[in-house]
Amino acid sequence: MLREYRPDYGLDFTIETFKAANAGGAGGRPATFETLGEHVFVQLKSSAEPEVHSLDIYGRSNVEKGPEQLNRKDKVGTIETYRIQLEMSELVTVERMGIGVPVLLVVADLARQRCVFVCLNDYVDKILIPRHGDYRTAGSRVIHVPVWTEIGSEAGLHGLRWYGKRAKLLAAFQRFRYQYSELQHRDNGDWRPLARYFAERIVPYDFWDDTEMCQMIPYYGARLRQFLETGQPGCLKLREDSVPESFRNEEFFEHMKQQDVFELWRCLAHLPNVYEDVWREWFLPTGLGQAASAP
């Protein structure tokens, strides 16, 4: 659902995502929908006939660990983009908002009857700051908006849904790290009730079954459910015949069962790192964004 955002301080609309509660029924009964509690902001730029430009994309270093270093020998590809000049005041507003709620720059191409987008929060963090250092020294900056993120395309719909889940994921990541830390302090035999309680708290999250664009998340959701059903998540696969005879005792196998459970929480606690290093570059005009999320 698209809503106008007022008063307008550089943000024009909000998008709230819904899912079908039922598909309708006999007698023309309409389908009903329920909100997912997911929101993104939109800054809209429309043009009667905007130009499309080619942009060469190169591999680069991890910009979370240092300034951008492009590898001109590693050309990832050439993509089509719209070039939008944004005033510095607009970009600074987005930066001040942080990354919790995404702000999408949407370009409406009236001639071609299409809308495309890029996430401004991530563009500032992953492109402007690593590339320019103090990017505020100019009065404005050019933003490249990839054509392949067209709203209505499969990639575009995945992107909108992915950004809508950001606040949920960031909140869950904080809890995963807290739980993993607490479990590590229960390495004295009484860890299992706590692990079960932790699993019961996080297994109801609705994103486990609604993030098919990121298979790692539903995978760990399945491991959580398996842990609650069987007592073991199955993250570590141990063949008994691969264990030396002298180690095959109850104490050893109990230790391995514990490590299997702790490995699940270690992986959950690592998801924020993957999110920062990789997933926040999805749908951006960068080498990693192109390689990891472009159709």
Side-chain angles (χ1 to χ4, degrees), residues 3 14 74 105 107 115 118 139 147 151 168 171 192 207 219 238 240 253 276 287:
R3 295 190 180 96
T14 61
D74 178 21
L105 172 62
V107 178
C115 292
V118 74
V147 168
I151 296 174
K168 291 180 178 181
R192 188 172 284 277
F207 55 70
Y219 171 81
L238 178 67
E240 187 171 337
F253 286 110
E276 194 62 51

Side-chain angles (χ1 to χ4, degrees), residues 118-137:
V118 74
C119 179
L120 284 178
N121 319 64
D122 296 344
Y123 202 103
V124 170
D125 263 1
K126 301 296 186 179
I127 296 179
L128 293 184
I129 293 176
R131 183 168 296 169
H132 302 290
D134 185 4
Y135 76 99
R136 304 183 186 194
T137 55

Side-chain angles (χ1 to χ4, degrees), residues 63-80:
V63 295
E64 282 303 309
K65 299 179 180 179
E68 179 181 72
Q69 296 179 1
L70 290 178
N71 182 358
R72 298 287 181 179
K73 296 180 180 180
D74 178 21
K75 183 176 179 180
V76 177
T78 300
I79 64 173
E80 293 183 330

Side-chain angles (χ1 to χ4, degrees), residues 39-41 64 93-104 119-126 129 162-171 173 272 275-277 279-280:
H39 303 265
V40 298
F41 287 113
E64 282 303 309
T93 296
V94 171
E95 183 186 5
R96 285 173 175 165
M97 291 175 65
I99 69 167
V101 180
V103 178
L104 303 184
C119 179
L120 284 178
N121 319 64
D122 296 344
Y123 202 103
V124 170
D125 263 1
K126 301 296 186 179
I129 293 176
W162 176 246
Y163 287 122
K165 298 179 188 310
R166 172 166 293 188
K168 291 180 178 181
L169 290 173
L170 292 181
F173 292 161
Y275 191 88
E276 194 62 51
D277 279 346
W279 296 341
R280 281 191 64 204

Side-chain angles (χ1 to χ4, degrees), residues 55 57-60 63 68 70 76 79 122-123 126-127 131 146 148 280-293:
L55 176 68
I57 303 294
Y58 297 93
R60 62 177 189 166
V63 295
E68 179 181 72
L70 290 178
V76 177
I79 64 173
D122 296 344
Y123 202 103
K126 301 296 186 179
I127 296 179
R131 183 168 296 169
W148 64 262
R280 281 191 64 204
E281 285 205 37
W282 283 3
F283 307 101
L284 292 183
T286 65
L288 182 57
Q290 183 71 12
S293 60

Side-chain angles (χ1 to χ4, degrees), residues 153-177:
S153 68
E154 183 177 6
L157 288 175
H158 279 166
L160 290 179
R161 292 177 54 234
W162 176 246
Y163 287 122
K165 298 179 188 310
R166 172 166 293 188
K168 291 180 178 181
L169 290 173
L170 292 181
F173 292 161
Q174 176 66 23
R175 177 165 278 174
F176 297 162
R177 284 192 161 167

